[in-house]
Amino acid sequence: MSVDAPSALAPRTGEEVFRALAAPGDRTPWESIGDLAPSLGAHIQHGLGALVGDAGLDLRTRELATVCMLAALGDSAPQLAFHTAGALRAGATKGEVVQAVAQVALYAGIPRTLNALATVRPVLDAHPDAG
């Protein structure tokens, strides 16, 4: 399969990626900051389409990787919560999300992992049908 081949699992535009991950009615980040930092908003929108929307890796896997990265970074609770829900919407199970975050302990430490789990838990609880 070509890396550039379109896939239903990997939406192509930033708007499509956001809508695949977000809850109905959620505002895009580029809309939320458009009046304050329109260039940053455009950069985020482009990045979602160009990187996350690339068909070389399915959206579920990308979201699990994103959850790990945000957990490792720390101090990203709103983004971690959004992408945790996005991972569930993209087909990840609750167990996969928990295992992905647990993996962070080896590389970023126990405190960041515990903080991430504190952010992830209410998201998982809010999605009872996510497996």
Side-chain angles (χ1 to χ4, degrees):
M1 171 170 99
S2 167
V3 171
D4 294 324
S7 168
L9 296 177
R12 301 306 293 169
T13 68
E15 183 73 28
E16 289 171 326
V17 170
F18 183 82
R19 293 296 160 216
L21 300 175
D26 280 357
R27 268 181 96 191
T28 67
W30 47 93
E31 292 169 333
S32 297
I33 64 169
D35 62 326
L36 182 63
S39 295
L40 177 59
H43 182 68
I44 293 167
Q45 184 177 15
H46 172 75
L48 274 176
L51 299 173
V52 181
D54 184 276
L57 194 61
D58 66 272
L59 192 55
R60 178 190 152 281
T61 304
R62 286 186 191 277
E63 281 300 285
L64 286 170
T66 300
V67 165
C68 289
M69 288 181 274
L70 291 169
L73 284 171
D75 200 25
S76 306
Q79 294 81 13
L80 178 57
F82 175 85
H83 286 284
T84 297
L88 297 173
R89 287 186 188 97
T93 67
K94 291 179 180 183
E96 289 171 329
V97 170
V98 171
Q99 287 301 311
V101 173
Q103 183 78 11
V104 169
L106 294 172
Y107 304 98
I110 300 288
R112 288 209 173 154
T113 304
L114 294 176
N115 292 342
L117 287 172
T119 298
V120 165
R121 181 190 295 270
V123 177
L124 298 178
D125 291 344
H127 291 83
D129 298 332

